[in-house]
Amino acid sequence: MIEGPRTDEAGPSVDPTGAPVEDAGLGIESVDSTRPDAGRVLDRGATYAAMVGLGMAVTIAISFELVVAIQALVFISAPFAGILIGFYANHKSERWRPRWRLFANAGFAGLVTGLSLALMYVGLRLLFIYADSGYRPETMGGQLECDTGPECTYVRFLDDGYAADLEADGITDAASFEAAVWRWQGETVLMLTLLTLGGALGAAAVRAIRTPPDPLAAPG
């Protein structure tokens, strides 16, 4: 005689009488883990968006600094990355109100994304400068006489005819060039961070002036 499945082996979907019951493992807590959180400054969706933004920043920096090698595209992409991640932070959280929470979510995700992009971009720039050995193909003049690092990059600029431009910026030797490099990179970190953060806050502002789709989507 073939017996039906035992109730203790059939899983949580049946009880001893054979009637279906709700699976406790699929409750609201597991399904809505990124819904708006009361009493928190940041929603969990904003934290998740920040991690996504970090990955986005690494991809942008590598793509436009190494693969395509058009560095201006990094700066052009920064505000658009901010808009995208700022929108995603509140969309993932299903956050509509209060408005200050929209800006907190988007601002946090945008700041993480902007800093990640800036530090990745600057890190690659410094890597190229401090690893510069002065190598050039013979068809372009051959090896430069310099010490590996900023000095070789400085000599390379001089050889390419940028002496007057460097002197106009107060750069007259390798030491002053190295100091300028760090100043430029600091300005770059600030610029990329602010561009990305501005885009994220802009996305929050647009959501703040929109009408929530229904009352349940706008908890206090």
Side-chain angles (χ1 to χ4, degrees):
M1 177 178 178
I2 300 177
E3 296 182 338
R6 294 170 53 190
T7 57
D8 60 350
E9 297 177 342
S13 60
V14 298
D15 65 12
T17 65
V21 297
E22 182 180 359
D23 189 343
L26 296 178
I28 292 178
E29 288 299 321
S30 63
V31 175
D32 298 329
S33 59
T34 57
R35 289 182 69 92
D37 306 300
R40 294 167 58 101
V41 174
L42 295 173
D43 292 319
R44 283 171 286 184
T47 304
Y48 183 86
M51 293 188 291
V52 173
L54 191 154
M56 180 193 303
V58 171
T59 301
I60 291 173
I62 291 177
S63 298
F64 295 143
E65 193 170 5
L66 297 180
V67 180
V68 179
I70 303 178
Q71 296 166 14
L73 291 177
V74 176
F75 294 86
I76 295 172
S77 299
F80 292 101
I83 292 171
L84 181 61
I85 211 66
F87 167 80
Y88 184 63
N90 286 307
H91 175 75
K92 181 70 175 176
S93 304
E94 299 184 30
R95 169 64 62 184
W96 286 92
R97 296 293 185 272
R99 291 182 173 87
W100 72 266
R101 291 282 292 270
L102 298 176
F103 289 96
N105 286 340
F108 174 75
L111 182 62
V112 171
T113 303
L115 277 175
S116 301
L117 177 59
L119 294 177
M120 185 69 184
Y121 176 84
V122 166
L124 290 173
R125 296 299 300 158
L126 292 175
L127 176 63
F128 281 118
I129 292 173
Y130 279 89
D132 190 350
S133 63
Y135 170 79
R136 288 187 310 181
E138 292 298 328
T139 55
M140 299 179 64
Q143 178 71 35
L144 294 170
E145 295 296 328
C146 57
D147 293 330
T148 299
E151 180 179 335
C152 282
T153 303
Y154 174 66
V155 172
R156 194 184 298 276
F157 281 145
L158 293 180
D159 195 71
D160 288 341
Y162 292 104
D165 294 332
L166 292 174
E167 289 180 7
D169 287 335
I171 300 171
T172 57
D173 54 24
S176 57
F177 175 76
E178 183 175 13
V181 164
W182 282 100
R183 184 177 71 252
W184 294 335
Q185 302 316 310
E187 293 170 353
T188 297
V189 168
L190 182 61
M191 182 181 301
L192 286 175
T193 301
L194 291 179
L195 284 172
T196 310
L197 178 60
L201 294 177
V206 171
R207 194 174 181 93
I209 62 177
R210 292 179 57 194
T211 302
D214 60 71
L216 294 179

